[in-house]
Amino acid sequence: MLEELWRVFTFQDYNTRVVMAGTGLLGLAAGVIGVFLVLRKRALLSDAVSHATLPGVILAFWASIALGMTGRSLPVLLSGAALTGLLGMVTVVALRRWSPIKDDAALAIVLSVFFGAGIALFGMVQQIEGVHAAGLTDFIYGKTASMLISDTVIIGIAALGVCGIAIALFKEFRLLCFDEAFAAVQGWPTLRLDLLLMGLIVLVTVIGLQAVGLILIVALLIIPPVTARLWTHRLAPMAALSGMFGMLGAGTGSAVSALFERLPSGALIVLSASAFFFVSLMLGTEGGLLPRLWRRARLRRRIRRQHLLRRAWELREQTGKRTFSARGLVARHAWHPVVAALELRSARRAGLVQRIDGGRWEFTPAGESEASRAVRNHRLWELYLITHADVAPSHVDSDADRIEHVLDPDMVAELEELLAREQEDTPPPSPHRLETPTNGGGNGR
Amino acid sequence: METRTDRPTTRPAVPEHRPAPASPAGTDHSPNAPISIHDVTVAYDRKPVLWDVDLDVPEGRLVGLIGPNGAGKSTLLKAILGLVPVISGRVAIYGKPLSKQRKLLGYVPQRESVDWDFPVTVRDVVQMGLYGQVGWFRRLRREHVRRADEALERVGMTDLADRQISQLSGGQQQRVFLARALAQDAQIYLMDEPFAGVDSATEKSIVALLHDLRNAGRTVVCVHHDLQTVAAYFDYVILLNMRVVTHGATADVYTEENLRKTYGGQLTLLSSAATALAQRH
Amino acid sequence: MISWSVIDTWIIIVGVLSAVGCALPGAYLLLRRQSMMGDAISHSVLPGIAGAYLIMGNREPLTLFLGAIVIGIVTTVLIRLVKHGGKIEDGAAMGVVFTALFALGLVMIRRAADHVDLDPDCVLYGAIELTFLDTVPFLGMDVPRAALLTGGMLLANVLFLGLLYKELKLSSFDPGLSDALGYSSRFLHHLLMVAIAATMVASFEAVGSILVIAMLIVPPACAYLLCNRLLPMLLVSAGFAAASAVLGHLSAIALPPVLGYEDTSTAGMMALAAGVLFGGVFFLSPKSGVLAQSWRRVRLGAQLLSEEVLGVLYRRQEAPGVSARPVLAPEELRRGAQGRTVEWLAGRRLVRQGYVRPVPGGFELTEPGLHEARRLIRAHRLWETWLVEEMNLRPDHVHGPASRLESVTGEAMEEELARETGAPAMDPHARRIPPAEKH
């Protein structure tokens, strides 16, 4: 077993080498072009298309038998597949265009009816005397073991062609995915670009039938882009990452399937791509589960902490005392007493407040400085929202430690001035009037 | 009702003479307010959408919720209804948590939020407003059917009761939604852009209806964005821009200065566009 | 030619039961725009079945059902997780989840093939032809297990959808209000998905997963194109589902002999039959069929064209120095028409209404035609006046709108229009507005 593993992963086996090269290139092409498919929000269109290839494969098989050929010629079968695949795509578009049927239903209808037709045709083809039709089921689940060097060459050429076109038309495809209407207004031939993109999708689907099977080829088009999306939100790195994930997933999968010949290779390829996906879903920097939960918890903690500090600061301003009580916070802000107690305790642990006699609290020097910064940030943001309403919400980042980290210094200076002016307009609320918490200074940081 | 005449201050204020609505420490919450919003912050991932919103909605007023795009108006309604999770803060309906007071709330979502090809009739949609009063598994009783028909009558849609909703015009769709809210017979109505995309006749009749509701002691909160009509329609406004800029009786609060604060540079554009439109008609 | 046997009867019974059982919950999927959720669950249910077999070691309905519940919930939760994490559309999230789970299921089944009597092919296409082999006694009869299973599932679905009719209707139409009224739309979504997963496992052995998707969506799609209300839509969906099942089996045994084969997969033929029925509805539905749509377009075109003809003849007649009745040449009619059908229909319409009569070189107005033309021209010019005066449109921009408006102008509207514009004698282009005729 170990020896076998070693042989497979050191590419010693000629067959394995052929298969891994073929599927790897397929994964690369599917990953790159899949990015546009996913961003264009048409991921499942490829599922409908791939299911719609089945009747084409069988009809092509049938036709070539009728013409006296063996029926095993891959190019013939794949042309049949491409034909009905395209027909399925056209049907989806027609349903959308000429009936109130929504997208999702149009896909489901095409997928199931075409596939059903394929199964019905298959039921008949099986009965042709003296012809071995069972190989056709390889197209359903995929069978890398049946790949020949000539197949790999076909897949390789097609895959590199797809990647080449995707790179050459990268800018155009990006525009198409991002803002089709804008692209059309700019004079780009959006319809032709769209057709080309969909044509490339059909091409990848068709060349992938043999390796992955028509049920799972959609996985190679969707999983790598979504995996890449979890690490970056920029298109170019996403396409590169996606191609890489596709290649790695497909290559690993076919290597594994060389070890376990009884298992369907398509399933193994998809499972290894899913493994990359699963890890990314957990850890991905852009939307991975753990970073997201952690960020959210941190945001919640920060907002609550800032709340506490600010409210305590304000309470102090209003009462004019140096200390404040938990009861005062609860009374003024409808906090739950338990919440207030917990927040105070966690602030004490962080060394920001300390308890003094009589159930009252005061800021530590560190707390004093942090509270003043929170209050200042808050008031400057508030002023910003009020005075720059036309652009404000998209800029605001309450999580930023300081407003300067988000807004440019001129803007902050302007806001500071406004704040100072407002304060002059207002009679001091209490003898212990607020020294406008200045730019972090004075209080030490 | 205390009127709040001040422009927002960025300072903490002394409650006796500076209600200072937008200011953090300012709001004195009343346990009897129909809606009390305590320091509500809503964030999607990293960006806050509502930030420390803290106010009471007064009873029996027709309240306009005004603000520029992206100001979080719809989000505020949804936060009140518990449809979006709040990251901190809480909302009370007549001093009690939402879960106990659902029946007091009537909701009119934006028109585009539903599929108007759905195979239901006008009457079906209006009856949906009463589902909250019968509970799981139960069917509507005859009395509910009658109340739904009355609501249809009130918005003048009785003739169209058996039409499928896809055959309605924009104004008629809005009336259906309104009838649905009326059928709910709620104490507080929350409406998301009830005037968006309706013809002027419908708009007038909706306003009349809202005034009726207000006069019957109901509290109505409408998201609205037509600055021209705010003063005529609402007697209380909340100016929102991610946080509350100010709120109070329309006459006191709805000033050029406050508007500029809410809309910033958009105001000039909006007012010139509105003038141009007015001249065309 | 076809030999019918009790086997065929059972196949049809099982087919109808599972098709109807799928179509009912499927209608809600269609309405919630989640049709592809059916596709997703039909794939992801495979590891659920395999897992349940492996853990419980049997294939009792309860085992299947447990597997279905678990997988229904796992799939929906995973899809939501992926959607929010990756900030991607539903479709891609579904695609990721169901392909991964399906691949897992395939591997599990192949690994467990030694212990478990289950073939992935059977899960895909079913073995409805073989259901007759596995019977259990029921009410003194030997009934195929699959018939009991699918029948039970149909009953459960009817019960489920009946009890939660109001809740599902509300949450499908307006999830926001549903949540606001205390009927959690997420909870209902999960319930529906579990019901669909359970329906699928019950139907798998008989008809396979692909046919399940077909029956979930295609019959409801037919009904969607025909019905205006939810309950009729559900009933019509059920009818189409049953019809597809019957037609499917009949064509599976009747069609292949025509081509020289014995028979073919009933499940595949059922899906195809559903597709053919849908195609028929797509073209023929009176509500939104392609034919109905184009007929309405042609008829409207003909109406507008015939009004235009009347207008043109009237204007020629009112031109100064014309005494003879003007004639419209057939080529002119053709030039104005969008297509031959419109031309033919407009001509026929005018002649049948008695507004024009054929004369050498074309058509001329009859006396009733003259009246009608005068009425239309009056409406047209009043509208032009109104549009210019009330809507402040430029005079050269009002011809189009006025032409569309004139054809819907009744007597009352015409009077109202005359009142609002002050019944002027001339329109904005300084042409005479014909006075109102006494009706």
Side-chain angles (χ1 to χ4, degrees):
Chain A
M1 181 74 198
L2 266 180
E3 193 185 320
E4 218 176 319
L5 202 70
W6 176 249
R7 256 189 35 205
V8 164
F9 279 95
T10 48
F11 311 106
Q12 288 178 11
D13 200 349
Y14 171 74
N15 267 337
T16 316
R17 259 198 327 255
V18 166
V19 167
M20 282 180 74
T23 53
L25 284 171
L26 171 70
L28 174 73
V32 171
I33 204 74
V35 166
F36 300 106
L37 183 75
V38 168
L39 290 181
R40 212 147 155 52
K41 303 194 193 308
R42 296 212 182 133
L44 289 183
L45 181 62
S46 62
D47 197 30
V49 168
S50 67
H51 281 76
T53 56
L54 183 64
V57 170
I58 293 171
L59 283 175
F61 178 79
W62 209 346
S64 65
I65 297 278
L67 294 173
M69 295 190 282
T70 59
R72 308 290 300 168
S73 154
L74 192 61
V76 172
L77 296 184
L78 294 190
S79 337
L83 215 63
T84 49
L86 282 172
L87 184 65
M89 193 181 273
V90 169
T91 314
V92 170
V93 174
L95 288 183
R96 217 159 36 191
R97 171 83 178 67
W98 284 299
S99 79
I101 295 284
K102 310 285 187 290
D103 273 18
D104 60 312
L107 293 176
I109 291 169
V110 166
L111 179 152
S112 57
V113 171
F114 274 71
F115 194 73
I119 298 292
L121 286 171
F122 184 60
M124 288 189 269
V125 170
Q126 273 178 316
Q127 296 163 16
I128 302 177
E129 296 280 329
V131 173
H132 185 60
L136 290 178
T137 52
D138 289 350
F139 286 101
I140 297 179
Y141 296 113
K143 188 162 188 190
T144 47
S146 66
M147 273 170 68
L148 305 172
I149 180 75
S150 59
D151 301 341
T152 295
V153 170
I154 294 180
I155 291 178
I157 292 173
L160 291 178
V162 167
C163 290
I165 296 178
I167 291 168
L169 292 177
F170 189 77
K171 173 173 94 268
E172 286 79 1
F173 282 158
R174 173 162 62 188
L175 204 55
L176 184 72
C177 295
F178 176 64
D179 189 347
E180 189 176 354
F182 176 75
V185 170
Q186 292 283 299
W188 295 102
T190 47
L191 183 68
R192 260 177 290 164
L193 278 174
D194 201 21
L195 287 177
L196 178 63
L197 183 57
M198 292 302 130
L200 293 179
I201 301 285
V202 174
L203 183 61
V204 170
T205 307
V206 165
I207 60 170
L209 286 182
Q210 200 190 15
V212 195
L214 61 86
I215 300 180
L216 288 176
I217 177 66
V218 59
L220 276 191
L221 284 163
I222 300 180
I223 295 180
V226 176
T227 311
R229 177 70 187 78
L230 289 162
W231 294 101
T232 174
H233 54 257
R234 286 173 45 227
L235 187 60
M238 185 177 159
L241 263 182
S242 172
M244 190 194 79
F245 281 127
M247 192 155 71
L248 280 177
T252 320
S254 44
V256 173
S257 82
L259 290 176
F260 302 95
E261 283 188 7
R262 283 186 55 226
L263 297 182
S265 59
L268 291 175
I269 287 175
V270 173
L271 275 184
S272 44
S274 317
F276 288 107
F277 168 74
F278 188 74
V279 172
S280 309
L281 179 65
M282 288 300 139
L283 301 177
T285 47
E286 296 285 333
L289 201 60
L290 298 181
R292 203 149 48 97
L293 285 179
W294 186 73
R295 266 205 309 268
R296 200 168 169 81
R298 201 185 54 161
L299 177 64
R300 183 183 294 263
R301 220 171 35 237
R302 278 189 77 102
I303 285 184
R304 296 219 164 132
R305 166 70 50 80
Q306 284 173 3
H307 250 124
L308 176 79
L309 295 177
R310 221 178 60 234
R311 291 309 200 191
W313 179 285
E314 285 157 6
L315 189 63
R316 229 177 44 165
E317 283 177 350
Q318 278 156 17
T319 56
K321 295 184 185 142
R322 267 193 64 248
T323 61
F324 53 91
S325 68
R327 210 178 307 132
L329 287 171
V330 169
R332 286 206 63 81
H333 303 301
W335 282 357
H336 197 282
V338 178
V339 174
L342 284 175
E343 288 295 323
L344 277 171
R345 202 177 65 172
S346 100
R348 188 184 62 192
R349 288 220 179 119
L352 298 172
V353 294
Q354 57 197 16
R355 200 170 186 144
I356 49 173
D357 298 336
R360 296 189 70 82
W361 297 75
E362 67 173 10
F363 286 122
T364 61
E368 188 87 27
S369 115
E370 189 141 328
S372 88
R373 210 166 61 233
V375 172
R376 169 177 175 274
N377 254 351
H378 193 264
R379 289 178 188 170
L380 289 177
W381 274 126
E382 186 167 70
L383 261 181
Y384 174 69
L385 277 166
I386 290 170
T387 50
H388 294 82
D390 42 342
V391 288
S394 55
H395 277 70
V396 173
D397 184 356
S398 67
D399 195 27
D401 206 20
R402 296 187 181 199
I403 194 165
E404 288 86 355
H405 294 174
V406 184
L407 298 182
D408 61 67
D410 290 349
M411 174 72 77
V412 177
E414 185 191 314
L415 292 174
E416 293 259 16
E417 198 183 313
L418 259 172
L419 188 63
R421 210 176 324 138
E422 294 240 353
Q423 273 157 14
E424 275 158 28
D425 287 353
T426 321
S430 67
H432 184 96
R433 75 163 285 194
L434 169 80
E435 325 92 63
T436 303
T438 45
N439 193 358
N443 295 312
R445 225 200 123 184
Chain B
M1 187 59 225
E2 168 193 30
T3 52
R4 304 189 151 164
T5 53
D6 281 320
R7 69 203 147 114
T9 166
T10 51
R11 301 179 41 79
V14 178
E16 294 81 41
H17 58 134
R18 279 187 79 83
S23 186
T27 308
D28 281 320
H29 289 286
S30 145
N32 296 321
I35 306 171
S36 295
I37 302 166
H38 299 274
D39 275 346
V40 162
T41 298
V42 175
Y44 297 132
D45 210 9
R46 266 176 271 197
K47 288 267 178 213
V49 185
L50 288 178
W51 195 8
D52 289 342
V53 171
D54 193 76
L55 63 94
D56 277 2
V57 173
E59 174 122 47
R61 294 292 190 109
L62 187 43
V63 182
L65 186 52
I66 323 286
N69 284 336
K73 297 173 303 236
S74 294
T75 308
L76 182 56
L77 283 200
K78 286 182 180 156
I80 294 172
L81 285 158
L83 300 181
V84 293
V86 298
I87 200 160
S88 76
R90 62 190 188 88
V91 175
I93 307 296
Y94 287 109
K96 295 201 184 94
L98 171 75
S99 53
K100 294 188 179 140
Q101 306 279 55
R102 275 193 197 286
K103 283 181 189 161
L104 298 181
L105 292 174
Y107 176 43
V108 179
Q110 284 186 24
R111 225 155 25 92
E112 307 85 66
S113 68
V114 304
D115 171 14
W116 289 95
D117 284 335
F118 204 87
V120 285
T121 61
V122 168
R123 182 177 281 121
D124 289 335
V125 174
V126 176
Q127 286 176 357
M128 286 178 190
L130 292 153
Y131 285 2
Q133 305 186 5
V134 288
W136 288 86
F137 305 119
R138 302 237 176 76
R139 301 186 49 194
L140 291 185
R141 290 185 297 275
R142 194 167 300 152
E143 183 222 334
H144 294 122
V145 175
R146 187 182 51 76
R147 268 166 55 190
D149 286 349
E150 279 171 12
L152 272 174
E153 178 93 51
R154 270 182 86 180
V155 299
M157 292 281 290
T158 308
D159 294 344
L160 302 176
D162 292 315
R163 283 265 184 103
Q164 196 209 340
I165 52 174
S166 63
Q167 300 164 13
L168 303 179
S169 71
Q172 288 167 338
Q173 290 176 349
Q174 196 63 56
R175 284 167 195 242
V176 174
F177 263 11
L178 219 62
R180 185 172 77 174
L182 288 180
Q184 259 179 282
D185 196 22
Q187 204 56 40
I188 303 163
Y189 286 99
L190 302 168
M191 309 195 178
D192 205 341
E193 307 242 2
F195 303 112
V198 305
D199 54 285
S200 59
T202 304
E203 182 155 341
K204 275 179 202 145
S205 64
I206 294 177
V207 172
L209 209 73
L210 297 185
H211 281 109
D212 285 353
L213 283 174
R214 192 259 327 266
N215 296 341
R218 309 301 157 83
T219 305
V220 183
V221 181
C222 293
V223 172
H224 191 61
H225 66 209
D226 178 11
L227 295 180
Q228 300 291 312
T229 51
V230 169
Y233 289 177
F234 302 105
D235 50 16
Y236 194 93
V237 292
I238 299 169
L239 298 182
L240 190 75
N241 186 25
M242 208 163 119
R243 51 193 315 151
V244 176
V245 173
T246 185
H247 62 123
T250 311
D252 302 327
V253 164
Y254 196 68
T255 60
E256 180 84 8
E257 187 187 356
N258 277 331
L259 272 182
R260 196 167 40 248
K261 285 175 174 172
T262 321
Y263 281 85
Q266 286 181 337
L267 180 67
T268 41
L269 184 68
L270 272 174
S271 59
S272 56
T275 323
L277 269 175
Q279 279 165 355
R280 255 180 54 195
H281 285 289
Chain C
M1 102 206 187
I2 311 164
S3 57
W4 191 265
S5 71
V6 66
I7 301 183
D8 295 301
T9 314
W10 277 122
I11 288 178
I12 286 200
I13 289 177
V14 171
V16 168
L17 287 175
S18 54
V20 175
C22 291
L24 292 178
Y28 285 95
L29 276 188
L30 181 93
L31 291 175
R32 298 162 85 96
R33 302 186 182 194
Q34 287 167 333
S35 305
M36 290 306 274
M37 254 334 255
D39 182 38
I41 290 189
S42 78
H43 286 85
S44 62
V45 94
L46 193 61
I49 299 180
Y53 278 142
L54 287 177
I55 294 168
M56 310 288 282
N58 63 42
R59 37 184 289 189
E60 295 305 313
L62 192 67
T63 309
L64 293 177
F65 192 62
L66 278 179
I69 290 180
V70 171
I71 207 69
I73 292 174
V74 166
T75 311
T76 27
V77 169
L78 270 181
I79 287 176
R80 209 180 50 235
L81 214 65
V82 173
K83 191 172 89 176
H84 289 294
K87 291 193 197 104
I88 45 172
E89 43 130 4
D90 280 15
M94 282 180 205
V96 170
V97 171
F98 83 72
T99 51
L101 286 174
F102 185 75
L104 185 68
L106 276 183
V107 170
M108 278 166 79
I109 284 188
R110 285 281 159 87
R111 287 306 280 175
D114 308 333
H115 322 284
V116 180
D117 169 27
L118 185 76
D119 175 10
D121 285 355
C122 165
V123 174
L124 265 192
Y125 341 114
I128 196 168
E129 294 86 350
L130 304 178
T131 50
F132 182 66
L133 299 176
D134 183 8
T135 60
V136 286
F138 180 72
L139 300 177
M141 256 170 75
D142 275 347
V143 176
R145 218 173 72 95
L148 283 184
L149 208 56
T150 50
M153 203 54 238
L154 171 59
L155 215 65
N157 270 334
V158 170
L159 213 65
F160 164 66
L161 299 177
L163 275 176
L164 290 174
Y165 181 73
K166 141 178 134 279
E167 289 79 359
L168 284 170
K169 179 157 121 181
L170 175 60
S171 77
S172 304
F173 175 63
D174 190 344
L177 183 73
S178 187
D179 283 332
L181 292 181
Y183 301 105
S184 158
S185 58
R186 189 180 286 180
F187 174 69
L188 286 163
H189 176 64
H190 280 274
L191 266 188
L192 186 65
M193 293 309 139
V194 165
I196 281 171
T199 310
M200 284 180 167
V201 289
S203 311
F204 268 161
E205 283 181 83
V207 295
S209 68
I210 297 303
L211 181 61
V212 167
I213 310 171
M215 288 306 145
L216 275 172
I217 302 303
V218 185
C222 298
Y224 183 72
L225 293 182
L226 291 168
C227 300
N228 280 334
R229 300 198 61 181
L230 184 57
L231 193 61
M233 181 180 153
L234 290 175
L235 297 177
V236 172
S237 303
F240 271 103
S244 318
V246 174
L247 266 179
H249 184 60
L250 290 183
S251 43
I253 54 178
L255 279 186
V258 179
L259 298 167
Y261 302 98
E262 230 173 283
D263 59 4
T264 184
S265 150
T266 291
M269 270 301 187
M270 285 182 179
L272 191 57
V276 170
L277 287 177
F278 175 78
V281 176
F282 173 70
F283 284 107
L284 300 177
S285 157
K287 183 184 156 203
S288 48
V290 172
L291 278 187
Q293 280 178 34
S294 50
W295 170 242
R296 277 197 287 270
R297 219 173 18 245
V298 165
R299 214 178 42 185
L300 188 66
Q303 193 197 345
L304 289 178
L305 181 64
S306 54
E307 281 165 6
E308 205 178 309
V309 167
L310 292 177
V312 166
L313 286 174
Y314 183 87
R315 287 191 187 100
R316 284 189 191 162
Q317 184 154 358
E318 90 182 333
V322 175
S323 54
R325 288 239 162 130
V327 173
L328 187 84
E331 307 88 71
E332 291 182 283
L333 184 61
R334 180 159 311 157
R335 239 180 289 132
Q338 295 152 313
R340 299 297 294 263
T341 335
V342 175
E343 175 200 339
W344 173 81
L345 203 66
R348 203 182 71 124
R349 202 184 138 97
L350 283 168
V351 173
R352 276 186 56 180
Q353 285 170 330
Y355 290 158
V356 299
R357 64 173 158 257
V359 291
F363 301 104
E364 69 168 24
L365 278 179
T366 60
E367 204 52 40
L370 189 64
H371 281 287
E372 177 66 10
R374 189 178 294 135
R375 192 184 69 75
L376 285 170
I377 287 288
R378 172 173 164 78
H380 183 93
R381 291 183 179 163
L382 280 175
W383 272 119
E384 287 192 340
T385 313
W386 187 86
L387 288 171
V388 169
E389 284 178 3
E390 303 287 320
M391 303 298 290
N392 292 331
L393 293 182
R394 298 226 313 266
D396 49 341
H397 281 169
V398 293
H399 178 77
S403 302
R404 283 191 293 278
L405 288 165
E406 68 177 44
S407 53
V408 295
T409 309
E411 240 175 81
M413 209 189 287
E414 185 191 309
E415 279 170 27
E416 166 92 29
L417 204 54
R419 207 170 38 247
E420 281 198 19
T421 51
M426 294 289 174
D427 76 358
H429 305 98
R431 284 177 311 217
R432 208 171 69 84
I433 298 178
E437 296 183 354
K438 292 291 153 254
H439 297 282

